[in-house]
Amino acid sequence: MSKLIFDPELLPVVSIANEEAVSASRLSSAWLRQRFSQPPVWEPEVQMEESLFKDLTFRPASVLIPLVLHEAGLSVLLTQRASGLNHHAGQISFPGGRFEPSDLVPVETAIRETEEEIGLNRQCIEVIGTMPEYRTGTGYQVTPVVSLITPPFDIVTDPGEVADVFEVPLSYLMDARNHQRRVFQMPDGSGQRMFYAMPYQQHFIWGATAGMLRNLFHFLRA
């Protein structure tokens, strides 16, 4: 599905997630490095029913989850996709894209795509780990690559790919009080589907991006 058939911002909020926020003591670079080096036993949150994927052939892709190191605390660097793209146009996303054979490994895909989309030099990127693969309704099997980004750095966007780049405090995104559950009706009459949204200022974070952030939330709380 290349074009949205509904406006997610107009759909009702049916509930707010009620887990405890990730402790501030866990939102430091040292703690995150330790957590990824010795991951706990945990379960990712299932976002979509497997039956919705039965007719899809998944293509490998990777995104970078860039955690920017600021003195006041970590933030998550996000992009708004360009309006002319065929998939997820105008939506909030992590930098990333499709796997290319020359990449060899998913981490390289995430770094290469980040350099291409927003001009972030790989020398600023410290990869600390990966999250479980995340399937999307557009047929991608995405590897989220978590990294620490040390300022200062330059951002030079590809206007054909990215309309905007901004940051959100990690503490905001790791607080379940900011995790909305919204629903939409399937056009084929097969029922309702739930998705997460994490509005921040004028930005509406939802869909796969919010789903991957929910899994990071669970991983850090475990």
Side-chain angles (χ1 to χ4, degrees):
M1 183 173 63
S2 60
K3 299 295 182 182
L4 281 178
I5 56 175
F6 61 90
D7 185 341
E9 296 189 55
L10 299 180
L11 294 175
V13 177
V14 296
S15 63
I16 303 293
N18 59 6
E19 303 98 338
E20 291 289 332
V22 176
S23 168
S25 64
R26 298 188 172 198
L27 302 181
S28 70
S29 57
W31 194 92
L32 290 168
R33 290 188 187 98
Q34 177 68 20
R35 169 50 53 107
F36 277 95
S37 68
Q38 297 179 320
V41 176
W42 71 291
E43 290 292 332
E45 185 169 1
V46 176
Q47 300 290 319
M48 295 180 68
E49 298 174 17
E50 284 296 316
S51 61
L52 300 178
F53 297 139
K54 63 182 180 180
D55 297 323
L56 292 177
T57 299
F58 288 95
R59 294 159 288 180
S62 295
V63 297
L64 196 74
I65 301 182
L67 307 179
V68 184
L69 300 167
H70 294 296
E71 287 188 11
L74 277 70
S75 67
V76 181
L77 188 148
L78 293 161
T79 72
Q80 181 176 5
R81 291 169 61 81
S83 60
L85 293 172
N86 290 328
H87 295 292
H88 308 292
Q91 294 184 27
I92 304 304
S93 69
F94 299 111
R98 286 181 293 183
F99 175 83
E100 299 291 346
S102 59
D103 293 334
L104 300 180
V105 294
V107 168
E108 177 58 28
T109 302
I111 294 175
R112 174 184 57 77
E113 287 281 346
T114 298
E115 288 184 312
E116 292 175 2
E117 290 182 4
I118 64 173
L120 181 62
N121 192 308
R122 65 177 58 213
Q123 293 182 349
C124 299
I125 301 172
E126 176 193 346
V127 173
I128 58 174
T130 61
M131 299 291 293
E133 292 177 336
Y134 187 98
R135 290 183 178 185
T136 73
T138 47
Y140 288 100
Q141 187 148 317
V142 182
T143 300
V145 178
V146 182
S147 64
L148 300 174
I149 311 297
T150 303
F153 52 83
D154 294 322
I155 295 293
V156 181
T157 62
D158 176 351
E161 295 274 351
V162 176
D164 190 19
V165 178
F166 62 97
E167 296 181 27
V168 181
L170 181 60
S171 59
Y172 178 91
L173 295 171
M174 295 297 101
D175 187 340
R177 291 174 296 181
N178 301 317
H179 301 177
Q180 301 175 351
R181 297 187 183 97
R182 302 193 182 205
V183 297
F184 67 95
Q185 299 288 338
M186 294 294 288
D188 60 3
S190 61
Q192 294 182 331
R193 297 291 182 267
M194 187 276 292
F195 65 90
Y196 280 99
M198 303 173 184
Y200 177 74
Q201 296 179 352
Q202 74 271 31
H203 304 291
F204 192 76
I205 304 163
W206 74 287
T209 302
M212 286 182 267
L213 286 167
R214 277 288 293 179
N215 279 341
L216 180 63
F217 169 76
H218 291 304
F219 176 72
L220 298 186
R221 287 185 75 247

